[in-house]
């Protein structure tokens, strides 16, 4: 069963969310309908933010009276782009490193493994905090672009060892396959093997790795948000006069930042947390089902190849013994292996 | 013999990796778009190596004194052990129930678990928090303690919240490997000889999958550890992770940090060793290297 229904629908939904979020400045109010108090005709205060979900505010508002659904839409692009970009960079760098290591320098692998040994035992949230927390107080006066680039470098780095070791393992497994071995024996160069034999696998494994890393990046970003490490840095937030010192707020309003900045309002306004977290849940759910489908497809493909191979090796009496009429059965498919 | 000779080299490599990793933020953080602060990075590396070389000196670990580390460690580890027990017991019970059930029910349960798998752990934590708070607001019952105010250390809510997702993952994993094992030929043979389903499950399937189960428990511990950190931070519970926070903010040194991380990930290392010995003993179900 090879089909890409879930993948297509899932990525369409994500793409739609992304486009809606990028186009937000074109249609949405810049202040997210900020409205701290409601007054009636006489000017008497009848309500104060945060407002619960209602017809007027479908997802409620946060403490500053900003509409949650608008914030949610606005912040989606930062979360999605960062997660996807980080996952892509991880797979690109880590995958290439792994490939290079197993093909050209197999002895380097053990050194690499030992060097990053400690990363295997430290949960990634600890690592993320150890790398990003010490400087989060020092962001003042530093341009946003360099904060963002710093955070992205760190996020990419955290995933690199896992990806590298995984891709190196996969490559080694592929290199020990008989079709690669026979290609070696026939005098193929390493580059030729990489181009001809490994490339088809690299593509499908790469996509699978990308989806896996997307999941782990989303998870990590979400956890970092709880600790106040927001993508794009912090700004002083909260309502002036209520909080001393002012609570940190997210500068970019991405989802993890929304969770983190509303953390202490949970008792009063649980919807401010549940909206972004449900957003994460939906995205993770979609990515997860894409991953499942891809995995199933890959397994199906492998089994398909295996059963095909069995058929080929089965002796077809009559044909093989006739001299002079030798012809490759399944000429087209056998070309793929050699 | 060769392995033993290599050991010091590997150890040095590991420590080097750790030190460089922990200083990486100095290398890349700065006012430009892409920074490479080689000089401060190098200086910081040198100081850290100095710290590690004089590990034993008392000034090094003196910062721990005001922290009440022992109580915090005891609390965090007891949460970990409680969670692990819940994961193992509940996971095994649930998995056996599912395995005993008829195939139709089994498949629908599997689908249900697959949906739950994607839930972020934070959502579970917040849902439990919401539940406890509304329970208190509606009924005034306060038997479920949430926050760690005045040095309180709640046990029930953290254990339930943390062990919820790992249990589900464990059940999912158990069902998967038990079903794979069920397709083996010896099971068919056993069935043909008239061995009962229960005898087959507990006498053959479970012992044969034990090494894989231990490997999976390592993943569970990993998840539990990071969730303990989250919970202790969110509910302001004075556990062991407070020391970690303290070290990062009030300028701890790398020796103290390394000790802290080592203590915190000790259960993980123990399980890794356990997995190594079990898989070595049962010989080669899963090839295993440290």
């Amino acid at each position: 069963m090879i089909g890409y229904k879930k993948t297509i629908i899932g990525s369409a939904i994500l793409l739609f969310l992304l486009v809606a979020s990028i186009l937000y400045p074109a249609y949405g109010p810049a202040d997210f309908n900020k409205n701290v108090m409601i007054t009636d005709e006489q000017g008497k205060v009848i309500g104060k933010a945060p407002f619960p979900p209602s017809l007027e505010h479908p997802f409620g508002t946060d403490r500053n009276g900003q509409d949650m659904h608008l914030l949610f839409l606005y912040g989606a692009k930062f979360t999605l782009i960062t997660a996807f970009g980080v996952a892509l960079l991880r797979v690109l760098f880590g995958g290439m490193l792994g490939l290079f290591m197993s093909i050209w320098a197999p002895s380097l692998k053990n050194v690499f493994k030992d060097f990053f040994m400690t990363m295997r035992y430290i949960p990634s949230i600890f690592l993320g905090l150890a790398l990003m927390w010490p400087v989060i107080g020092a962001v003042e006066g530093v341009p946003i672009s360099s904060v963002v680039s710093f955070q992205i470098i760190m996020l990419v780095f955290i995933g690199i060892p896992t990806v590298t070791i995984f891709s190196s393992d996969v490559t080694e497994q592929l290199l020990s396959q008989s079709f690669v071995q026979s290609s070696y024996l026939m005098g193929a160069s390493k580059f030729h093997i990489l181009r001809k034999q490994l490339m088809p696998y690299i593509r499908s494994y790469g996509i699978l790795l990308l989806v896996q890393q997307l999941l782990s990046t989303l998870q990590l970003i979400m956890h970092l948000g709880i600790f106040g490490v927001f993508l794009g840095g912090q700004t002083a937030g909260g309502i002036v006069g209520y909080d001393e010192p002012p609570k940190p707020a997210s500068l970019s309003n991405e989802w993890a930042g929304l969770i983190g900045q509303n953390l202490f309002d949970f008792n009063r306004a649980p919807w401010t947390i549940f909206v972004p977290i449900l957003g994460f849940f939906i995205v993770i759910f979609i990515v997860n089902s894409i991953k499942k489908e891809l995995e199933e497809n890959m397994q199906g493909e492998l089994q398909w190849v295996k059963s095909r191979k069995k058929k080929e090796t089965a002796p077809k009496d009559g044909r093989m013994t006739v001299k002079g009429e030798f012809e490759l059965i399944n000429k087209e498919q056998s070309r793929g292996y050699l | 013999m060769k392995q033993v000779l290599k050991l010091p080299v590997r150890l040095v490599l590991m420590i080097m990796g750790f030190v460089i990793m922990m200083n990486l933020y100095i290398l890349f953080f700065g006012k430009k778009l892409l920074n490479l602060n080689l000089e401060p990075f190098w200086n910081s590396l040198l100081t850290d190596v100095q710290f590690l070389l004089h590990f034993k000196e008392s000034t090094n670990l003196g910062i721990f004194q005001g922290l009440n580390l022992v109580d915090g460690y005891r609390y965090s580890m007891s949460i970990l052990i409680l969670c692990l027990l819940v994961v193992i017991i509940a996971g095994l019970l649930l998995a056996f129930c599912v395995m005993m059930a008829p195939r139709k029910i089994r498949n629908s349960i599997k689908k249900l678990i697959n949906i739950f798998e994607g839930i972020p752990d934070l959502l579970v934590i917040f849902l439990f928090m919401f539940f406890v708070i509304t329970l208190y607001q509606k009924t005034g019952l306060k038997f479920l303690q949430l926050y760690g105010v005045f040095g309180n250390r709640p046990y029930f809510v953290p254990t339930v919240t943390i062990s919820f997702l790992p249990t589900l993952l464990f059940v999912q994993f158990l069902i998967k490997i038990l079903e794979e094992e069920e397709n083996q030929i010896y099971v068919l043979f056993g069935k043909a000889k008239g061995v009962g389903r229960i005898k087959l499950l507990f006498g053959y399937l479970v012992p044969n999958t034990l090494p894989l189960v231990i490997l999976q428990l390592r993943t569970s511990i990993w998840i539990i550890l990071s969730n303990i950190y989250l919970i202790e931070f969110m509910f302001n519970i004075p556990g062991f992770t407070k020391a970690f926070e303290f070290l990062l903010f009030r300028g701890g040194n790398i020796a103290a940090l390394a000790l802290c991380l080592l203590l915190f990930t000790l259960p993980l290392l123990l399980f890794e060793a356990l997995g190594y010995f079990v898989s070595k003993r049962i010989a080669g179900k899963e090839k295993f290297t440290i």
Side-chain angles (χ1 to χ4, degrees):
Chain A
M1 273 301 288
I2 294 179
Y4 292 98
K5 212 161 85 194
K6 279 183 197 164
T7 312
I8 292 168
I9 295 175
S11 11
I13 295 173
L14 290 184
L15 203 68
F16 176 73
L17 190 62
L18 188 65
V19 170
S21 177
I22 289 174
L23 292 180
Y24 178 85
Y27 64 83
D31 64 343
F32 309 107
N33 291 336
K34 190 166 179 170
N35 185 13
V36 184
M37 286 174 201
I38 303 182
T39 51
D40 60 4
E41 288 100 28
Q42 279 91 42
K44 257 167 85 186
V45 177
I46 51 170
K48 203 168 99 254
F51 303 111
S54 60
L55 272 181
E56 219 176 312
H57 312 286
F59 286 160
T61 74
D62 71 354
R63 215 162 41 135
N64 291 339
Q66 296 166 325
D67 266 331
M68 278 317 285
H69 65 284
L70 296 179
L71 281 174
F72 177 81
L73 261 181
Y74 178 77
K77 57 178 173 255
F78 299 110
T79 312
L80 290 178
I81 290 175
T82 317
F84 191 76
V86 167
L88 195 69
L89 286 175
R90 280 181 183 182
V91 172
L92 221 63
F93 288 128
M96 282 204 304
L97 201 62
L99 258 178
F100 173 80
M101 246 170 26
S102 341
I103 297 179
W104 277 281
S107 57
L108 216 65
K109 192 182 169 191
N110 280 329
V111 176
F112 185 86
K113 258 186 169 173
D114 282 343
F115 191 78
F116 288 106
M117 173 72 83
T118 38
M119 275 178 115
R120 259 185 68 184
Y121 295 99
I122 306 173
S124 52
I125 175 67
F126 282 79
L127 217 58
L129 285 177
L131 290 177
M132 290 181 181
W133 231 1
V135 287
I136 206 72
V139 258
E140 268 174 51
V142 179
I144 294 175
S145 57
S146 64
V147 175
V148 172
S149 71
F150 168 74
Q151 282 174 332
I152 285 177
I153 289 173
M154 289 297 141
L155 283 175
V156 170
F157 170 75
I158 289 170
I160 289 258
T162 340
V163 177
T164 308
I165 289 172
F166 179 84
S167 82
S168 158
D169 283 345
V170 167
T171 316
E172 263 171 27
Q173 209 185 332
L174 286 175
L175 284 181
S176 67
Q177 298 275 324
S178 53
F179 61 88
V180 179
Q181 292 291 326
S182 47
S183 190
Y184 262 132
L185 285 177
M186 286 159 85
S189 69
K190 281 177 176 173
F191 187 70
H192 177 85
I193 286 191
L194 175 68
R195 215 165 47 109
K196 286 281 171 189
Q197 255 84 23
L198 300 184
M199 220 45 188
Y201 290 91
I202 289 172
R203 212 173 299 147
S204 49
Y205 273 113
I207 291 173
L208 189 67
L209 251 179
L210 180 72
V211 179
Q212 273 172 4
Q213 289 304 313
L214 195 55
L215 281 179
S216 84
T217 316
L218 279 171
Q219 194 91 357
L220 184 61
I221 291 176
M222 197 164 58
H223 286 175
L224 285 173
I226 288 283
F227 291 93
V229 180
F230 307 140
L231 295 176
Q234 301 180 338
T235 167
I239 303 175
V240 184
Y242 280 77
D243 290 323
E244 264 328 308
K247 296 250 162 58
S250 167
L251 203 59
S252 58
N253 284 322
E254 46 87 28
W255 293 350
L258 288 182
I259 298 173
Q261 71 185 11
N262 292 320
L263 188 59
F264 300 99
D265 288 341
F266 186 73
N267 291 357
R268 270 194 295 167
W271 54 87
T272 51
I273 302 252
F274 280 129
V275 169
I277 256 195
L278 279 176
F280 268 115
F281 175 47
I282 292 165
V283 172
I284 287 178
F285 182 77
I286 289 172
V287 176
N288 219 349
S289 41
I290 290 177
K291 182 184 138 202
K292 281 243 167 73
E293 197 179 55
L294 289 177
E295 268 171 354
E296 268 168 31
N297 283 348
M298 267 178 78
Q299 249 169 19
E301 224 165 286
L302 286 183
Q303 270 164 14
W304 188 62
V305 169
K306 254 186 207 163
S307 63
R308 171 86 63 99
K309 264 188 185 168
K310 257 182 206 160
K311 257 186 218 158
E312 275 173 25
T313 48
K316 297 228 163 79
D317 36 16
R319 279 201 203 172
M320 302 292 263
T321 47
V322 178
K323 274 183 186 172
E325 279 184 22
F326 180 74
E327 198 185 64
L328 268 176
I329 307 165
N330 299 334
K331 210 188 238 168
E332 285 304 308
Q333 287 90 25
S334 55
R335 203 169 284 159
Y337 301 120
L338 278 176
Chain B
M1 195 60 207
K2 208 177 165 192
Q3 290 287 324
V4 178
L5 283 176
K6 265 187 186 168
L7 217 58
V9 179
R10 294 184 63 185
L11 206 66
V12 168
L13 265 177
M14 278 176 219
I15 293 171
M16 238 167 67
F18 180 71
V19 172
I20 290 177
M21 228 154 52
M22 286 298 153
N23 282 308
L24 218 58
Y25 67 89
I26 297 175
L27 185 64
F28 287 118
F29 190 73
K31 296 201 170 184
K32 281 180 294 182
L33 188 62
L34 288 171
N35 299 278
L36 270 182
N37 317 317
L38 280 174
E39 203 171 322
F41 177 65
W42 179 245
N43 290 338
S44 164
L45 277 188
L46 286 183
T47 359
D48 281 353
V49 171
Q50 285 296 318
F51 267 125
L52 282 177
L53 286 178
H54 304 285
F55 192 78
K56 269 192 208 148
E57 274 173 29
S58 55
T59 48
N60 228 341
L61 304 173
I63 40 167
F64 283 133
Q65 266 162 9
L67 266 176
N68 206 355
L69 209 63
V70 182
D71 282 351
Y73 190 64
R74 198 179 296 145
Y75 170 74
S76 296
M77 285 304 121
S78 45
I79 288 279
L80 175 79
I81 291 168
L82 277 175
C83 288
L84 205 59
L85 282 178
V86 172
V87 168
I88 293 173
I89 294 171
L92 285 177
L93 279 179
L94 278 171
F96 291 152
C97 286
V98 175
M99 286 306 285
M100 301 302 237
R103 217 159 254 279
K104 238 184 185 174
I105 301 176
R106 196 197 280 183
N107 284 341
S108 46
I109 292 177
K110 260 161 55 185
K111 266 182 201 150
L112 195 73
I113 292 178
N114 276 347
I115 293 174
F116 271 106
E117 181 201 30
I119 292 186
D121 38 11
L122 273 181
L123 183 60
V124 175
I125 294 174
F126 278 117
L127 278 176
F128 267 98
M129 211 166 144
F130 187 63
F131 170 72
V132 170
I133 290 171
T134 30
L135 195 73
Y136 174 62
Q137 282 173 343
K138 288 274 145 64
T139 63
L141 290 173
K142 213 185 172 178
F143 62 95
L144 294 175
Q145 211 185 11
L146 205 61
Y147 292 96
V149 278
F150 307 120
N152 260 329
R153 294 191 168 110
Y155 280 92
F156 183 74
V157 178
T159 311
V160 174
T161 349
I162 294 173
S163 53
F164 183 77
L165 271 185
T167 308
L168 275 183
L169 289 180
F170 191 54
V171 171
Q172 194 189 28
F173 172 80
L174 276 176
I175 293 173
K176 198 180 126 211
I177 57 165
L178 284 176
E179 279 192 337
E180 265 170 28
E181 195 74 14
E182 229 180 14
N183 290 332
Q184 301 271 350
I185 296 170
Y186 75 87
V187 179
L188 196 66
F189 181 64
K191 269 185 194 160
K193 294 274 276 185
V195 182
R197 277 181 74 183
I198 299 173
K199 179 86 202 298
L200 261 178
L201 180 60
F202 289 101
Y204 298 95
L205 293 181
V206 173
N208 284 343
T209 47
L210 199 64
L212 288 177
V213 170
I214 287 175
L215 271 183
Q216 172 67 19
L217 279 177
R218 192 185 160 276
T219 320
S220 305
I221 292 182
W222 175 283
I223 302 173
I224 291 170
L225 279 181
S226 36
N227 278 1
I228 284 179
Y229 193 12
L230 277 177
I231 290 250
E232 284 184 358
F233 181 83
M234 282 167 66
F235 298 159
N236 203 11
I237 302 167
F240 188 66
T241 51
K242 279 274 173 293
F244 186 69
E245 212 169 298
F246 180 84
L247 284 179
L248 284 182
F249 269 132
R250 314 253 158 95
N253 52 60
I254 191 131
L257 189 65
L259 188 72
C260 227
L261 282 174
L262 196 66
L263 278 174
F264 199 66
T265 50
L266 194 65
L268 210 61
L269 298 175
L270 285 178
F271 251 81
E272 188 98 0
L274 185 69
Y276 179 70
F277 284 118
V278 168
S279 61
K280 213 174 180 189
R281 201 159 157 205
I282 299 182
K285 259 228 122 148
E286 184 84 355
K287 274 219 169 149
F288 207 90
T289 49
I290 293 181

